[in-house]
Amino acid sequence: MRGETCEKTPPDRSAPAEAEVKALVLAGGTGSRLRPFTHTGAKQLLPIANRPVLFHALDSLAAAGIREVGVVVGAHGREIRELTGDGTEFGLRITYLQQSRPLGLAHAVRIARDFLGDDDFLLYLGDNYLPQGVADFVRLAAADAAAARLLLTPVADPSAFGVAEVDTEGNVLRLEEKPDTPRSALALIGVYAFSPAVHEAVRAIAPSARGELEITHAVQWMVDQGLRVRAETTTRPWRDTGSAEDMLEVNRHVLDGIEGSVEGKVDAHSTLIGRVRVAEGAVVRGSRVVGPVVIGAGAVVSNSSVGPYTSIGEDCRVEDSAVEYSVLLRGAQVEGASRIEASLIGRGAVVGPAPRLPRAHRLVIGDHSKVYLTP
């Protein structure tokens, strides 16, 4: 079984889109805000409720009726290929497209030219999480032809995003990338529907000041050429999972929708409250687990208090500890921790008690880590 756990929630394909289009999923970014986790793995493979973020995106595309997907990969392409496979388990046919280095979203469209051909397609950032899916957006794009269609959402701080200015008819007038003085509060979510006209646009633009081919510049070029560019606005939840805080919040949201099930072993001295999913091969003994919580295959929870809103990955160990609102990646170990909350603990990481004397901290910390010590 691929991913962080053997648990798999099948995508809902009950309401596919009326017209099939291709999708281009971007999974080649560096994930600088999620270091040190992304030094050793792709950010799109970090788990949400014990399934990689990318898998949730692929489920969403399959539920929208899309079958042909190109996945743009970078430095961690091999890992993504091995875990995601040819797309069969998602009901998709996946083609992998190698990007030498992340040179912008429009560059990804350039390198995918042969795969995309002259078909309409959906551009989807692989670290996005949209619980409502994209089926409605795909239907709108199929029913109302436009050179480009953007999915937008109102945000409190638009200066941190690409921002669109839209007229009263829903036509896009202007795009800006992280403007100092935003013209609107409508931010680009990272989901776009394009006609083949975008290929001329990405060829026409030059790299931005940060050396990337910006998709916002390509769309603005289309607007300037008089092509029809439409906007759809949503107020439903959305996260780009680009930071540890975002990961924890999306994990909370996904766990709110799980059903409880016990396939592993839970001893008579343990208590499960609410929706708790214990995978086959997991062991819970002498512990209190308050859902929603997922515990992956091979994990052991012993003499501990867990949850709510905690995901424990495969082969983790939690002993004599209290863990809440946290995500433990595969093989992480927590022992003798009186209370851990709002934490993201990496693969194979070890958290244990420090010796009481002498009073000192002994640390082995990866690049760009942040450690907060209690005085």
Side-chain angles (χ1 to χ4, degrees), residues 11-357:
D12 178 10
R13 302 190 181 95
S14 58
E18 294 177 2
E20 184 175 334
V21 296
K22 289 180 179 177
L24 186 65
V25 177
L26 306 189
T30 58
S32 58
R33 288 186 295 154
L34 277 167
R35 291 172 179 162
F37 304 100
T38 50
H39 283 311
T40 55
K43 65 177 178 177
Q44 294 82 7
L45 295 181
L46 290 175
I48 298 297
N50 282 0
R51 294 189 70 236
V53 175
L54 178 61
F55 287 18
H56 292 277
L58 295 174
D59 284 346
S60 178
L61 296 174
I66 292 173
R67 296 294 173 260
E68 291 283 349
V69 176
V71 178
V72 178
V73 297
H76 300 294
R78 180 176 178 180
E79 181 185 12
I80 291 174
R81 285 185 177 94
E82 289 177 350
L83 291 174
T84 310
D86 63 3
T88 300
E89 73 172 82
F90 306 96
L92 302 170
R93 295 181 294 273
I94 293 179
T95 299
Y96 292 96
L97 306 163
Q98 186 70 40
Q99 190 178 31
S100 57
R101 54 195 178 99
L103 294 173
L105 307 190
H107 179 263
V109 174
R110 275 194 184 185
I111 68 170
R113 182 68 178 90
D114 289 343
F115 167 77
L116 296 169
D118 292 325
D119 296 321
D120 293 344
F121 68 96
L122 194 76
L123 180 65
Y124 193 113
L125 272 61
D127 56 352
N128 267 3
Y129 175 70
L130 286 82
Q132 74 274 18
V134 293
D136 289 344
F137 184 71
V138 172
R139 287 193 190 94
L140 284 169
D144 182 22
R149 188 175 299 270
L150 318 179
L151 189 58
L152 310 174
T153 192
V155 295
D157 180 17
S159 63
F161 299 88
V163 175
E165 184 180 358
V166 181
D167 68 15
T168 56
E169 301 297 321
N171 298 301
V172 176
L173 303 176
R174 186 176 291 103
L175 295 177
E176 299 176 286
E177 188 66 34
K178 299 182 180 178
D180 293 332
T181 307
R183 295 174 181 267
S184 85
L186 295 176
L188 295 162
I189 283 181
V191 178
Y192 311 79
F194 286 118
S195 75
V198 72
H199 298 300
E200 184 178 0
V202 299
R203 289 195 303 269
I205 62 173
S208 65
R210 60 178 183 172
E212 296 187 2
L213 292 174
E214 310 285 357
I215 199 67
T216 50
H217 292 178
V219 176
Q220 185 63 53
W221 184 91
M222 298 167 83
V223 172
D224 294 341
Q225 297 301 308
L227 299 177
R228 188 167 184 256
V229 177
R230 298 284 293 167
E232 305 297 336
T233 303
T234 181
T235 57
R236 293 180 179 179
W238 156 77
R239 291 277 179 168
D240 69 356
T241 66
S243 69
E245 292 77 13
D246 288 330
M247 291 286 297
L248 292 172
E249 179 59 19
V250 174
N251 186 69
R252 182 197 66 77
H253 191 279
V254 174
L255 288 179
D256 263 335
I258 71 165
E259 297 294 332
S261 65
V262 177
E263 298 177 4
K265 297 180 179 179
V266 178
D267 74 3
H269 303 290
S270 296
T271 302
L272 306 185
I273 301 173
R275 291 170 290 112
V276 177
R277 184 179 295 173
V278 182
E280 183 178 358
V283 175
V284 178
R285 53 177 177 250
S287 297
R288 176 184 172 89
V289 183
V290 180
V293 166
V294 293
I295 301 173
V300 176
V301 177
S302 178
N303 301 319
S304 295
S305 173
V306 175
Y309 297 115
T310 297
S311 294
I312 297 175
E314 291 182 0
D315 302 321
C316 289
R317 297 188 69 87
V318 179
E319 299 183 9
D320 303 316
S321 299
V323 182
E324 179 178 336
Y325 187 58
S326 295
V327 174
L328 279 63
L329 277 63
R330 183 198 301 267
Q333 298 182 43
V334 176
E335 181 180 356
S338 58
R339 185 172 182 83
I340 288 177
E341 63 180 27
S343 297
L344 182 59
I345 300 175
R347 298 178 184 89
V350 177
V351 177
R356 296 194 176 203
L357 292 174

